Amino acid sequence: MIYIDPPYNTGNDFIYEDDFVEKNEDFSETIGQHDENGNLLFDMHRNNETNGRFHTDWLNMLYPRLRLAKDFLRDDGVIFISIDENESAPLKMICDEIYGESNFIAQLVWSAGRKNDSKYISVSHEYILCYFRNINFIKEHNITWREKKEGLKDIYLEYDKLKKMYRTDYKNIEKHLKKWYKSLPEGSPAKNHSHYNRVDENGIFFPSDISWPGGGGPKYALLHPETGKPVRIPSRGWLTNKATMEKWIQEGKVNFGKDETSVPTIKSYLCNHEYEVPYSVFYKDGRAASKRLASLMGEKVFENPKDEEIIQKIIEFCGTSSNDIIMDFFSGSGTTAHALFLANIHQKSKRKFILVQLPEEIDPKKSTSERGKKVSKSALNLLTDLGLSANICSIGEERIRRAGKKIKEETGADIDYGFRCFKVDSSNMKEVYYRPVDVGQMTLDQFTDNIKEDRTPEDLLFQVMLGLGVLLSSKIEEQEIAGKRVFSVADGYLLACFDAEVTENVVTQIAKQHPFYAVFRDSSMADDSVAANFEQIFATYSPETVRKVL
């Protein structure tokens, strides 16, 4: 699943300037600019409504990202895109082009609360566009979406309480259960299920229609268990044949009236109807998410964050399961990761996330409102106190850390709250593009080591993992062999040592662990003897190991 909350193009958004039509040297100079913390700077501009390319610039930014996103989805994958009325129509058109009109599922409407600052209509809703990757695959595999009804927990708690009080006095339980439903405030999720107010030894049920839908059902005599007389036959006929009906009666599933004058009903138990098809329109106060994030971070450090409970709900009902990946490439404050923690706990799953965000600088001067300036200053103060870089990514990382800690403290759930953060950079290897005529002895001396000087062993390890196809989320441990630092990835599947002065003893000890891959740095070998005997050592102790030297 992919969920994104891109800039809404309201006239105040900064959008990414994706114009790469320029000279190579100019482009290299542009992407080579970094801030004082080493973060790559990106050219962004405010897309004002006075811009003659107002819609075009926004669409040019989003279109290639959506094209690429499609390639990330499996055949059973789905993408959700939050948007408001400013660009909902153009977005729908480009999504129809990219994903195909037949893959359009629905346009969800999120009613986020009334706004009173409008002159004409209080626009209090947003949209979430939803597309499948391959609708034919979904149909062929009979994939359906269901979500658990809200308010069930409260109903079951009240029922258990009444059951302890009145035991098998079902009439009294029903009486007080109906009274409890009436006492609930308007808007309570449990109140939506108040028709489930009858009780028997099997639990809470609703007396449902027992007639054939649309008419034409079988008609036969059915005797009332008390009077022994035939009950009224529904005009549309019975829901099933006589044999099945008699079986239902024996199982206590048919609810008869006081006498034969009323048509029986079928008991529809709440425990058997806990799930429903997700609604395309839903209400959730938009201010609640901002308040929860401010409470988590200690102060308001992000404007208009998405609601983690809404994204949790989407993750849960769209069919994702353990080991599936949820991606968000406009991750902002990291709401999607927070939502995933909640969903994994609720459904006892092990889904993973990939979040992508450009390290946009947090600058109060860029804000167009006093409120925005205040939020930016609060964010800067927080990041300064924590010693973190002054960009949006730092806010997101800190939010994920705090969310994981808070959820674990509140629930005690022992799930994986960890994450790794990577920055896109150039290769770790030095770029050597000299013609032979330009190479002198002094030039060669610069390349006795082919690794860039500012790169860490961790940098080299992750480059190796990428090159060998080892998951970046793999377990990584460190061990010491003869005083050297050795990385063990995926329980010894890959062993790597990039320390200097690596001896034959170190190579031998690594070979004896029989890794699938063993990686060393060329300049790390203690002397020519180690380099010469390297292959022979592995041939002796672990000939199957794939060796790689950087």
Side-chain angles (χ1 to χ4, degrees):
M1 171 191 144
I2 294 175
Y3 169 81
I4 60 171
D5 178 29
Y8 282 6
N9 207 24
T10 60
N12 294 316
D13 297 305
F14 281 91
I15 66 168
Y16 309 130
E17 187 76 271
D18 286 349
D19 183 6
F20 301 133
V21 184
E22 54 184 331
K23 295 179 180 179
N24 285 340
E25 57 269 24
D26 295 336
F27 179 58
S28 299
E29 182 179 350
T30 300
I31 66 168
Q33 294 177 342
H34 294 75
D35 63 19
E36 65 276 9
N37 297 306
N39 294 315
L40 193 63
L41 295 176
F42 294 86
D43 188 13
M44 296 193 297
H45 73 278
R46 188 181 301 282
N47 198 27
N48 296 312
E49 293 181 1
T50 55
N51 176 16
R53 294 168 54 87
F54 179 64
H55 293 287
T56 302
D57 283 356
W58 185 84
L59 289 168
N60 284 346
M61 179 273 293
L62 198 58
Y63 187 90
R65 288 167 168 81
L66 292 177
R67 288 284 299 224
L68 184 60
K70 181 180 179 182
D71 294 335
F72 279 94
L73 291 171
R74 286 190 325 212
D75 280 338
D76 63 345
V78 60
I79 183 169
F80 295 88
I81 310 169
S82 283
I83 198 68
D84 69 1
E85 70 279 2
N86 289 288
E87 294 289 358
S88 60
L91 177 62
K92 174 72 167 58
M93 287 192 288
I94 63 172
C95 285
D96 283 346
E97 178 182 328
I98 295 170
Y99 295 94
E101 288 185 63
S102 62
N103 286 307
F104 174 66
I105 307 169
Q107 182 169 264
L108 308 182
V109 180
W110 173 6
S111 178
R114 181 175 292 276
K115 299 177 182 178
N116 296 315
D117 57 351
S118 175
K119 292 181 180 179
Y120 312 111
I121 297 291
S122 175
V123 179
S124 306
H125 65 276
E126 296 182 6
Y127 303 105
I128 301 178
L129 280 177
C130 181
Y131 282 81
F132 280 128
R133 173 67 171 83
N134 186 344
I135 188 65
N136 293 326
F137 183 93
I138 299 298
K139 290 179 179 178
E140 288 169 8
H141 291 79
N142 197 29
I143 296 172
T144 58
W145 288 0
R146 295 293 183 271
E147 65 176 343
K148 196 163 188 177
K149 296 175 180 176
E150 295 182 1
L152 298 185
K153 184 178 180 181
D154 293 336
I155 297 174
Y156 288 139
L157 286 173
E158 183 64 20
Y159 169 68
D160 289 340
K161 186 174 73 173
L162 293 173
K163 195 175 179 182
K164 288 178 182 178
M165 292 173 61
Y166 300 104
R167 299 185 181 276
T168 57
D169 186 354
Y170 302 126
K171 293 299 179 184
N172 241 326
I173 294 176
E174 287 179 1
K175 175 184 174 182
H176 287 86
L177 185 60
K178 292 175 182 177
K179 187 177 179 181
W180 175 76
Y181 276 128
K182 289 181 180 179
S183 70
L184 294 174
E186 291 300 325
S188 170
K191 204 176 185 73
N192 296 330
H193 314 299
S194 58
H195 54 292
Y196 282 93
N197 53 30
R198 300 291 301 277
V199 177
D200 67 6
E201 64 274 11
N202 295 317
I204 307 170
F205 70 88
F206 158 62
S208 185
D209 190 0
I210 202 169
S211 65
W212 192 280
K219 294 185 178 182
Y220 48 82
L222 195 65
L223 302 181
H224 192 278
E226 298 295 331
T227 66
K229 297 179 180 180
V231 299
R232 285 180 56 195
I233 299 174
S235 59
R236 294 184 299 187
W238 297 111
L239 180 61
T240 187
N241 59 56
K242 191 170 184 177
T244 303
M245 180 69 76
E246 289 176 348
K247 181 183 177 184
W248 286 355
I249 293 173
Q250 291 175 1
E251 294 172 347
K253 293 180 178 179
V254 178
N255 183 53
F256 287 91
K258 291 181 179 181
D259 55 35
E260 70 279 0
T261 59
S262 59
V263 177
T265 57
I266 184 77
K267 295 179 180 179
S268 177
Y269 289 96
L270 181 60
C271 62
N272 297 329
H273 296 85
E274 293 185 341
Y275 291 85
E276 62 187 356
V277 178
Y279 288 3
S280 63
V281 180
F282 59 93
Y283 172 80
K284 192 78 161 65
D285 190 338
R287 298 165 297 183
S290 293
K291 291 179 180 178
R292 289 196 300 270
L293 181 57
S295 175
L296 180 67
M297 305 300 285
E299 52 190 322
K300 191 170 183 180
V301 297
F302 201 91
E303 282 197 283
N304 304 318
K306 274 296 171 282
D307 193 310
E308 72 278 6
E309 294 178 0
I310 294 293
I311 302 178
Q312 174 195 355
K313 184 177 180 179
I314 293 173
I315 292 171
E316 291 178 355
F317 76 57
C318 76
T320 59
S321 57
S322 278
N323 298 316
D324 281 352
I325 296 173
I326 314 301
M327 184 166 73
D328 181 351
F329 51 88
F330 284 95
S331 65
S333 65
T335 303
T336 299
H338 191 164
L340 190 68
F341 292 154
L342 297 172
N344 278 351
I345 292 171
H346 187 227
Q347 296 187 322
K348 298 180 180 179
S349 185
K350 295 182 179 179
R351 288 164 290 218
K352 305 170 185 177
F353 63 81
I354 295 177
L355 307 187
V356 185
Q357 175 63 48
L358 294 179
E360 300 173 24
E361 180 187 4
I362 297 175
D363 185 358
K365 295 178 182 178
K366 292 182 178 180
S367 300
T368 57
S369 66
E370 289 304 315
R371 185 179 67 175
K373 287 182 171 65
K374 184 178 179 181
V375 172
S376 295
K377 288 178 181 177
S378 296
L380 283 176
N381 291 336
L382 174 65
L383 296 176
T384 300
D385 292 342
L386 296 173
L388 301 175
S389 301
N391 60 56
I392 290 179
C393 295
S394 297
I395 291 289
E397 292 171 45
E398 184 62 19
R399 191 261 182 90
I400 298 171
R401 283 189 284 266
R402 295 192 182 195
K405 181 180 178 182
K406 183 174 185 290
I407 294 170
K408 187 173 184 179
E409 289 173 351
E410 291 178 348
T411 66
D414 189 22
I415 65 169
D416 184 359
Y417 299 98
F419 66 98
R420 289 192 176 124
C421 184
F422 298 94
K423 295 180 182 179
V424 178
D425 208 327
S426 58
S427 168
N428 292 315
M429 318 307 288
K430 289 180 178 176
E431 298 168 0
V432 185
Y433 299 114
Y434 290 98
R435 294 180 303 168
V437 69
D438 296 328
V439 177
Q441 183 61 48
M442 294 299 292
T443 308
L444 289 174
D445 290 342
Q446 297 175 19
F447 299 110
T448 53
D449 189 350
N450 60 338
I451 307 295
K452 293 177 181 176
E453 287 77 8
D454 61 341
R455 300 308 163 95
T456 66
E458 286 80 4
D459 293 333
L460 299 179
L461 176 65
F462 285 114
Q463 177 173 321
V464 168
M465 289 171 66
L466 282 170
L468 298 178
V470 180
L471 294 177
L472 295 181
S473 57
S474 299
K475 178 182 177 183
I476 299 175
E477 298 175 298
E478 292 184 24
Q479 54 183 268
E480 187 176 300
I481 297 178
K484 303 302 178 184
R485 183 187 184 196
V486 177
F487 294 102
S488 174
V489 180
D491 296 317
Y493 179 76
L494 162 65
L495 293 180
C497 180
F498 305 115
D499 282 4
E501 300 297 319
V502 172
T503 63
E504 288 187 8
N505 180 37
V506 176
V507 177
T508 301
Q509 293 302 314
I510 290 176
K512 286 183 176 180
Q513 294 189 41
H514 306 288
F516 189 88
Y517 289 112
V519 183
F520 299 85
R521 186 172 176 171
D522 183 46
S523 60
S524 293
M525 303 301 176
D527 51 44
D528 291 341
S529 175
V530 178
N533 295 329
F534 172 81
E535 290 292 339
Q536 187 58 46
I537 292 172
F538 271 95
T540 302
Y541 294 103
S542 187
E544 298 84 8
T545 296
V546 179
R547 285 87 78 182
K548 184 176 179 64
V549 178
L550 299 181

